[in-house]
Amino acid sequence: MARKPKFDYFDHFVKISGCAVEYAEALLAYMEKNAAIAAEGREPDITHAIQRYEELHEIEERSDSYRHQVAEHLVTEFLAPLEREDIMVMADELDDLVDELEEVLQRMYMYDVHVVDPAVIKMMGLAHKATLSINELCKQFHNFKKHEVIRTHIVAVNDVEEEADRLYIEAMHQGFARAKAVGHTSIDALGQAELLTALEEVCDMCEDIASTVATIMMKNS
């Protein structure tokens, strides 16, 4: 009788982080299309934001499914490759990253942001870059005893997060400064600020995941 294949937790980390990359890529493409429509002198239809959210929700549901599979197998796992708590923290944080990306389109619709500011698109690019680094980090995580290979990706995530922090501070300042110049803080300025905040939180979450990996490596060195 053939032995049942052993559940691969590391592969599921790659799958969940892959969902984050897929979602970030779709968001970036959506924002770039939004900017292209605005450049033609047309106003994008804000209802498309909630429609796109509903379309992309399948990615979030897939991420949830992978996370649930990890939790279910941990219940019966006799000998896990890492401490159970560490495995669950990784799965939860990666799934939360996808949830945070979902917040972007939600806030765009809630704040009725028709045209995305260039600074938001730039921040979206950084968030996408951060998710790519997390995905590469997860692909190497099964080699967690080979510290130098993984540390390269941890540093890459930290570098993106620092760049995102700088952009966030400056973009928030510029957005409210423009609103103040015309004598009031506009609803659009608040909406753009909400998008920037959501994306900055995505980058922060990527840094948290990289820190979790570093902690697990230290515990298993």
Side-chain angles (χ1 to χ4, degrees):
M1 182 176 176
R3 293 181 64 183
K4 186 177 179 180
K6 191 173 180 65
F7 185 79
D8 193 336
Y9 295 100
F10 296 107
D11 180 61
H12 275 62
F13 295 156
V14 174
K15 287 178 178 178
I16 302 173
S17 61
C19 288
V21 171
E22 187 179 349
Y23 208 114
E25 286 177 349
L27 277 179
L28 182 57
Y30 177 80
M31 289 186 181
E32 290 174 339
K33 183 178 180 180
N34 174 279
I37 292 172
E40 293 172 357
R42 296 183 289 138
E43 184 172 285
D45 186 347
I46 190 58
T47 61
H48 290 169
I50 201 66
Q51 290 170 1
R52 195 67 181 121
Y53 163 77
E54 291 169 353
E55 292 165 359
L56 295 179
H57 189 62
E58 178 273 331
I59 301 174
E60 192 276 336
E61 289 179 333
R62 204 178 337 132
S63 174
D64 277 346
S65 175
Y66 293 141
R67 185 260 177 205
H68 290 317
Q69 289 172 30
V70 169
E72 288 171 3
H73 279 83
L74 274 179
V75 173
T76 57
E77 182 69 70
F78 177 69
L79 187 61
L82 301 168
E83 290 186 17
R84 296 170 190 274
E85 292 80 2
D86 290 337
I87 291 174
M88 208 62 244
V89 166
M90 272 293 293
D92 284 342
E93 289 186 350
L94 289 167
D95 186 48
D96 287 346
L97 176 58
V98 182
D99 291 341
E100 193 62 47
L101 285 161
E102 271 212 315
E103 283 280 326
V104 179
L105 283 174
Q106 288 178 4
R107 295 190 195 190
M108 185 174 177
Y109 181 74
M110 288 188 296
Y111 284 84
D112 200 38
V113 177
H114 288 245
V115 180
V116 180
D117 191 87
V120 174
I121 299 177
K122 186 174 181 181
M123 182 70 87
M124 183 68 247
L126 290 177
H128 175 229
K129 187 176 179 181
T131 62
L132 284 170
S133 292
I134 288 297
N135 186 235
E136 289 301 317
L137 176 58
C138 288
K139 289 177 181 177
Q140 296 296 327
F141 192 27
H142 66 283
N143 290 320
F144 60 88
K145 291 189 182 296
K146 296 183 179 180
H147 294 191
E148 292 310 313
V149 176
I150 296 178
R151 285 192 196 285
T152 301
H153 298 296
I154 292 176
V155 171
V157 173
N158 291 339
D159 287 345
V160 173
E161 195 278 333
E162 287 181 9
E163 186 178 354
D165 276 349
R166 291 192 294 269
L167 174 60
Y168 177 67
I169 293 168
E170 187 58 30
M172 290 285 277
H173 169 75
Q174 292 296 334
F176 285 108
R178 286 195 300 270
K180 185 178 179 181
V182 297
H184 65 279
T185 298
S186 67
I187 293 298
D188 186 67
L190 290 173
Q192 302 289 348
E194 282 292 321
L195 296 181
L196 285 167
T197 298
L199 290 169
E200 197 270 341
E201 288 170 355
V202 167
C203 294
D204 282 348
M205 197 164 290
C206 287
E207 185 180 44
D208 290 343
I209 293 168
S211 295
T212 295
V213 171
T215 299
I216 293 172
M217 286 168 54
M218 181 180 66
K219 288 168 67 175
N220 291 273
S221 61

